[in-house]
Amino acid sequence: MLLLWGKKTRGAAIAIALALIILLVGGNSWAARSFARSLEWQHLPLNTVPTADAIVVLGGVTRTSTPPRPTVEVTEGGDRLLYAAYLYQQSKAPVIILSGGRIEWYGNDSAEATDMSALLKNMGVPESAIVQEPNSRNTYENAVNVRQILTQRGIRQILLVTSAMHMPRSLSIFKRLGIAAIPAPTDFQVSTQEFQELASSPEAKLLSLLPDASSLFLFTQTLKEYIGIVIYWLRGWL
């Protein structure tokens, strides 16, 4: 009994130790932001964004207008729509293609492309400049379905708008499918100013070492994106 009790205790101690290590590393501001930067800074915004035939915006940025929400709402990735509207208003492309459907178990609400279209029209983008692709359920399907629209419309070059963390995987898929895509990243969660703030004073350096929920969330987001890259690579999509 003593031997059995010792084994159980040892296993519990290992599990607790691993949990503490994950918390201390993943919740550390330096570690979390450096980890996120390894993806986000692979494709930094161009000083001058070139013109293209279309702007393509990838979904995953809205919440449906189900009660008690009064209207369609945006997630953290809603910056994609703001940036797409900005690029359109800067005459960087005459058309915005919105790619995003709804996953079955999320309900039978309208496709995300429809919700994104409504928000863009509220920002002043005319309906005539919006093309909806409402069937995609993941990033690979985004690229496949958008390619069909590009072929039908004779569009050769696009500005690809998605979150900076999502851009490496997305751009690789689009290019693998032969789409001439110029990265137009947005929704950066790590900036140069934030890194400067971490080392701005002895107090800031000390506090940045303490785990916090926001850093752990950022670390988890980045880890999930790296896992997605590996899975897509194994499937031959990258």
Side-chain angles (χ1 to χ4, degrees), residues 11-51:
I14 291 173
I16 293 172
L18 287 174
L20 286 174
I21 291 172
I22 293 171
L23 176 62
L24 292 173
V25 174
N28 179 303
S29 295
W30 282 102
R33 293 181 186 181
S34 296
F35 194 31
R37 184 176 61 173
S38 68
L39 281 176
E40 288 196 337
W41 289 22
Q42 287 188 31
H43 301 284
L44 294 174
L46 302 171
N47 292 329
T48 302
V49 178
T51 57

Side-chain angles (χ1 to χ4, degrees), residues 97-109:
I97 301 173
L98 304 172
S99 181
R102 289 288 176 203
I103 299 175
E104 289 82 358
W105 58 82
Y106 280 3
N108 297 317
D109 301 296

Side-chain angles (χ1 to χ4, degrees), residues 63-73:
R63 297 187 180 94
T64 60
S65 57
T66 52
R69 298 186 189 119
T71 183
V72 176
E73 297 180 357

